[in-house]
Amino acid sequence: MKALIVDDDLVLADVVSFTLRRAGFQVITAHDGQAALDTWQAESPDLIILDLNLPKLDGLSVCQRIRQQTDTPIIILSVRGEDDDVVRGLELGADDYIAKPFSPRQLVARAQAVLRRAGITPTTGPLVVGELTLDLARRELHRSGHLLAQLTPLECRLMEVLMLNSGHVLPADTLITQVWGPSGGDRTMLKQLVHRLRAKIEPDPSTPAYLETVPGVGYALVRRPSA
Amino acid sequence: MKALIVDDDLVLADVVSFTLRRAGFQVITAHDGQAALDTWQAESPDLIILDLNLPKLDGLSVCQRIRQQTDTPIIILSVRGEDDDVVRGLELGADDYIAKPFSPRQLVARAQAVLRRAGITPTTGPLVVGELTLDLARRELHRSGHLLAQLTPLECRLMEVLMLNSGHVLPADTLITQVWGPSGGDRTMLKQLVHRLRAKIEPDPSTPAYLETVPGVGYALVRRPSA
DNA sequence: AAAAACTGTCACCACTTTGTCACCACCCTG
DNA sequence: CAGGGTGGTGACAAAGTGGTGACAGTTTTT
């Protein structure tokens, strides 16, 4: 999993680089807009982390140029007060943004979420929680070894997020961001998606056994020993 | 969850320490700027609570030095009249500030909010008093390990405040402010809320075993050895 | 090209939550 | 003993929240 970091602040670029390396990424860096485009073409990374404030070629332009040719996930780095630029970046096709200062954990989480949403699966093996197994590549959910349901792309993403945090309550907003990204999503859509997922995976959808509702907060996937 | 408290006022540091420990933090303290940096490097806490007025090394400098190397959340403690310093602190990368005097609940809430925003530990540990356990994420109250009641948001807030100060009598006005905020709330509403909470948690609501009334003052959660 | 699937949107229902009110019982003090 | 204050209790309505089904536009598959 290769990540390209574009930032003219050498210190910050180093921090980001270190963080991502520790999370298992292979990291390359560029410090101005032109170099970013060159490196991108030479290395074709899986993920780009892009500061907007760049010498030689503006970050937004870089974003635009890259989007014209590929769907490589882009995460924008912004400082407080550049909200307009963030919005324009997202409109130009960026996948997410992070406001400085950010925590390392935050960064890694966002990076993985974006990759997941783009269909690039960092986790090779299937996800297992209790008797449930999710095959991300095939989007198939198995229970005790045999096929329970064939999931749609969105259902699969939701299920993945829930399984990665099984046993913990995930706030509705968190789920929405994880599934639809920072600019899309809606409470009603989440309701619908949960409904559709339950219809597929719950033996009796009216009394959920796996996908639990926590009123006023969100949802949780129950983690049972083996039942 | 490890918190570093930096304050030269030993009494205040103790109060803060006590409050955060109650909320489930592991707490370490430093009493001057240099010690703060040393302790920070040695212990790498998840959260720093920083008074600006420090001997040996100014609080703002400490803030700056820490920000140069990590994104660990920093909350500034300020006294009234130091507004300029607060602004400079926030510019230097601090995440929030609290003006003295502050309420314990205020402090805990801010701390958790900052950590949440930084993407650290969305899971808050449960509150425990005697045989009662409150799971804040799920808003569930357990007695000796099994589910006693599912609380509503307001009931949960009230229960949280009572458990954080278990064994002490809390004046009605205090409770009202803590639950509904400084602008809302009402004696009648508190009566109602207590009533509804008792209906859920007391075996016999007419003779309260947990949520005791102190006429003319307020309410208290009795802290019993184990009964 | 036709059919099926996927997803966003809407309307509606049921239920919960919460603020408000009225009323009762009790405990003071004068 | 009367009366005011305080706390407990029940009822009720408004607002909010989650679940459900239907439907249309788009994309994907056949």
Side-chain angles (χ1 to χ4, degrees):
Chain A
M1 197 63 39
K2 210 190 293 183
L4 169 62
I5 298 170
V6 187
D7 200 323
D8 60 327
D9 178 345
L10 299 187
V11 176
L12 186 62
D14 240 26
V15 173
V16 175
S17 170
F18 175 74
T19 305
L20 287 180
R21 264 186 237 279
R22 206 172 33 179
F25 286 81
Q26 178 188 342
V27 178
I28 43 186
T29 57
H31 300 300
D32 65 68
Q34 191 52 53
L37 286 178
D38 296 344
T39 314
W40 162 62
Q41 288 208 323
E43 302 274 349
S44 58
D46 303 292
L47 169 71
I48 299 165
I49 297 185
L50 182 64
D51 189 13
L52 290 183
N53 225 348
L54 291 177
K56 292 199 183 167
L57 187 60
D58 180 70
L60 285 175
S61 309
V62 173
C63 182
Q64 190 173 26
R65 293 279 285 279
I66 292 176
R67 257 302 159 275
Q68 279 168 3
Q69 292 189 46
T70 70
D71 293 320
T72 309
I74 300 177
I75 296 180
I76 292 178
L77 283 185
S78 78
V79 289
R80 211 163 31 170
E82 281 182 353
D83 298 347
D84 288 353
D85 283 345
V86 169
V87 171
R88 272 193 287 161
L90 290 175
E91 282 170 355
L92 282 176
D95 296 84
D96 203 347
Y97 71 95
I98 301 186
K100 309 181 208 177
F102 52 84
S103 74
R105 218 183 280 211
Q106 178 88 308
L107 175 67
V108 173
R110 295 282 185 102
Q112 287 172 347
V114 164
L115 287 173
R116 217 181 304 132
R117 248 180 280 141
I120 304 169
T121 33
T123 52
T124 42
L127 270 172
V128 180
V129 170
E131 60 199 13
L132 294 178
T133 303
L134 182 63
D135 181 337
L136 289 172
R138 299 191 181 288
R139 297 206 313 266
E140 285 175 353
L141 187 67
H142 300 258
R143 183 174 55 191
S144 343
H146 88 33
L147 184 65
L148 179 61
Q150 173 74 244
L151 302 183
T152 73
L154 280 187
E155 288 163 3
C156 186
R157 246 175 260 159
L158 176 60
M159 198 63 199
E160 184 185 359
V161 175
L162 288 170
M163 288 180 80
L164 284 173
N165 301 70
S166 66
H168 295 155
V169 182
L170 293 173
D173 294 337
T174 303
L175 288 173
I176 290 171
T177 309
Q178 293 283 311
V179 173
W180 281 275
S183 46
D186 175 353
R187 227 130 188 145
T188 312
M189 284 151 97
L190 181 61
K191 276 197 312 188
Q192 265 302 327
L193 192 59
V194 167
H195 183 225
R196 281 163 176 157
L197 186 54
R198 276 183 178 151
K200 286 189 180 178
I201 71 173
E202 298 283 359
D204 176 8
S206 59
T207 58
Y210 300 110
L211 214 175
E212 177 193 7
T213 300
V214 182
V217 184
Y219 297 90
L221 192 70
V222 306
R223 180 194 292 168
R224 55 183 60 206
S226 71
Chain B
M1 194 60 41
K2 212 189 290 183
L4 169 62
I5 298 169
V6 187
D7 200 322
D8 60 328
D9 178 344
L10 300 188
V11 176
L12 186 62
D14 241 26
V15 173
V16 175
S17 168
F18 177 73
T19 304
L20 287 179
R21 266 187 236 276
R22 269 272 165 85
F25 286 81
Q26 177 188 343
V27 178
I28 43 186
T29 56
H31 302 301
D32 65 67
Q34 190 52 53
L37 286 178
D38 295 344
T39 314
W40 163 63
Q41 288 210 323
E43 302 273 349
S44 60
D46 303 289
L47 169 71
I48 299 166
I49 296 185
L50 181 66
D51 189 15
L52 290 183
N53 225 347
L54 291 176
K56 290 197 184 167
L57 188 59
D58 180 70
L60 285 175
S61 309
V62 173
C63 182
Q64 189 173 27
R65 293 278 286 278
I66 291 177
R67 255 306 158 275
Q68 278 169 1
Q69 291 189 46
T70 71
D71 296 311
T72 310
I74 299 177
I75 295 180
I76 292 178
L77 284 184
S78 77
V79 288
R80 213 163 32 170
E82 283 181 351
D83 298 346
D84 288 354
D85 283 346
V86 169
V87 171
R88 272 192 289 159
L90 290 175
E91 282 170 355
L92 282 175
D95 296 84
D96 202 348
Y97 72 96
I98 301 186
K100 310 182 205 175
F102 51 85
S103 74
R105 186 181 155 74
Q106 177 87 310
L107 176 66
V108 172
R110 294 282 185 101
Q112 286 172 349
V114 164
L115 287 173
R116 233 189 332 264
R117 241 180 291 145
I120 302 173
T121 357
T123 54
T124 328
L127 268 173
V128 180
V129 170
E131 59 200 13
L132 293 178
T133 302
L134 182 63
D135 181 338
L136 289 173
R138 287 197 155 79
R139 296 205 313 266
E140 286 174 353
L141 187 66
H142 296 80
R143 184 175 54 191
S144 352
H146 82 34
L147 183 66
L148 180 60
Q150 173 76 245
L151 303 184
T152 73
L154 280 187
E155 288 163 2
C156 188
R157 295 262 285 285
L158 176 60
M159 199 63 199
E160 184 186 356
V161 175
L162 288 169
M163 288 180 80
L164 285 173
N165 303 70
S166 67
H168 298 146
V169 181
L170 292 171
D173 293 337
T174 304
L175 287 173
I176 291 170
T177 309
Q178 302 278 307
V179 172
W180 280 274
S183 46
D186 175 353
R187 235 148 243 252
T188 312
M189 283 150 94
L190 181 60
K191 279 198 309 187
Q192 264 301 329
L193 192 59
V194 168
H195 182 224
R196 281 163 177 157
L197 186 53
R198 277 182 177 152
K200 286 189 180 178
I201 71 173
E202 299 284 0
D204 176 9
S206 58
T207 59
Y210 299 110
L211 214 175
E212 182 189 1
T213 301
V214 183
V217 185
Y219 298 90
L221 191 69
V222 306
R223 182 197 296 171
R224 53 185 59 207
S226 70

